[in-house]
Amino acid sequence: MFDTLSFALVFIPCLVIAIVFHEVAHGYAAKVLGDPTASERGRLTLNPIRHVDPVGTLLVPGGLLLLGAPAFGWAKPVPVNKWRLSNPRFGMMAVAAAGPASNFVLAFVGAVAFGMIGTLGAGWAESEAGFPMLVGADGTALPVATGLYLFILINVFLGLFNLLPIPPFDGSHIVGGLLPKPLRNQWEKLQRFGMVLILGVIAFSWIFGTGWLEVTVLPLLAKVMSFYEGIANAIALA
């Protein structure tokens, strides 16, 4: 039986790993490019407690769930001092890109593992608790396979979502580095209001049912997931 507790025990570790590696990747990229701030503050660790933001990791997603809204949250950002980078402009672009890149690498690892456990012939079903799960030909739940698929899905979604060119997402830092200096300065000023902006977009979407994720992220998510599913299938058939 794949109940609520079982789903949580599968989903939460996948999400924590994806988020922690994402944040640590930012810090390591910054250190390689000349800024050791994250290392000096003890943030280059895989200990998830070090990356918990009381507001973004606990209060905001918990409150949204209680209100029946889509859950949304964030980890404590890894500190980066762009003026300590050897090349602040391009360094910030590289640091920003490192987070999503780590998620795509994790998704690849998940796809390889998914293919190696041999899930050919498995299909999706809905548990009694209403959660999707992979089942074998005889209807037996496959929690490991389900967890690996969710691991791939979470990492791909997190990587794509953070590449959106909306402050304060990673994509906005990449766009900022590409802009000419006058526009870049104005763009950087938007970063301080970024979280308010994105929460406003989410609230507007929830209240009025605009479905902005369906337009921006989900179409690309389906295509990228097909790519990783192809890797898994190739390994399973090898």
Side-chain angles (χ1 to χ4, degrees):
M1 181 178 178
F2 202 68
D3 55 16
T4 304
L5 178 59
S6 300
F7 185 81
L9 290 175
V10 170
F11 180 83
I12 293 175
C14 293
L15 182 61
V16 169
I17 292 171
I19 291 175
V20 169
F21 271 82
H22 181 103
E23 293 300 327
V24 172
H26 285 314
Y28 269 113
K31 185 176 182 179
V32 169
L33 295 172
D35 174 26
T37 304
S39 178
E40 292 170 350
R41 298 186 186 180
R43 294 294 307 281
L44 295 188
T45 173
L46 298 180
N47 178 3
I49 303 300
R50 296 287 296 164
H51 302 283
V52 170
D53 183 303
V55 175
T57 312
L58 302 175
L59 294 180
V60 170
L64 290 172
L65 287 172
L66 288 174
L67 291 171
F72 174 79
W74 59 90
K76 184 189 298 182
V78 166
V80 176
N81 184 345
K82 76 175 191 176
W83 301 116
R84 299 180 73 180
L85 295 168
S86 55
N87 186 321
R89 179 180 180 181
F90 294 102
M92 284 301 295
M93 293 173 64
V95 169
S102 72
N103 294 124
F104 296 132
V105 171
L106 287 176
F108 176 80
V109 173
V112 171
F114 188 79
M116 291 178 66
I117 66 173
T119 56
L120 292 177
W124 287 99
E126 187 175 292
S127 69
E128 294 180 7
F131 298 114
M133 62 178 177
L134 277 169
V135 298
D138 59 355
T140 303
L142 303 173
V144 175
T146 301
L148 284 172
Y149 191 89
L150 286 175
F151 182 72
I152 301 168
L153 181 63
I154 288 170
N155 275 286
V156 172
F157 178 82
L158 190 62
L160 293 176
F161 189 71
N162 275 279
L163 285 175
L164 289 174
I166 304 173
F169 295 152
D170 298 327
S172 71
H173 293 290
I174 297 173
V175 170
L178 296 173
L179 294 174
K181 188 172 183 179
L183 290 176
R184 194 185 327 139
N185 293 336
Q186 296 302 315
W187 184 257
E188 289 178 353
K189 290 180 181 179
L190 289 176
Q191 299 294 332
R192 70 188 70 176
F193 305 108
M195 196 54 65
V196 175
L197 174 64
I198 192 60
L199 287 175
V201 171
I202 292 172
F204 183 89
S205 176
W206 174 52
I207 294 171
F208 297 101
T210 55
W212 69 287
L213 280 178
E214 287 83 345
V215 176
T216 57
V217 177
L218 296 191
L220 187 56
L221 176 67
K223 293 181 179 179
V224 178
M225 283 300 296
S226 295
F227 168 75
Y228 284 107
E229 288 168 1
I231 294 174
N233 289 333
I235 292 173
L237 293 170

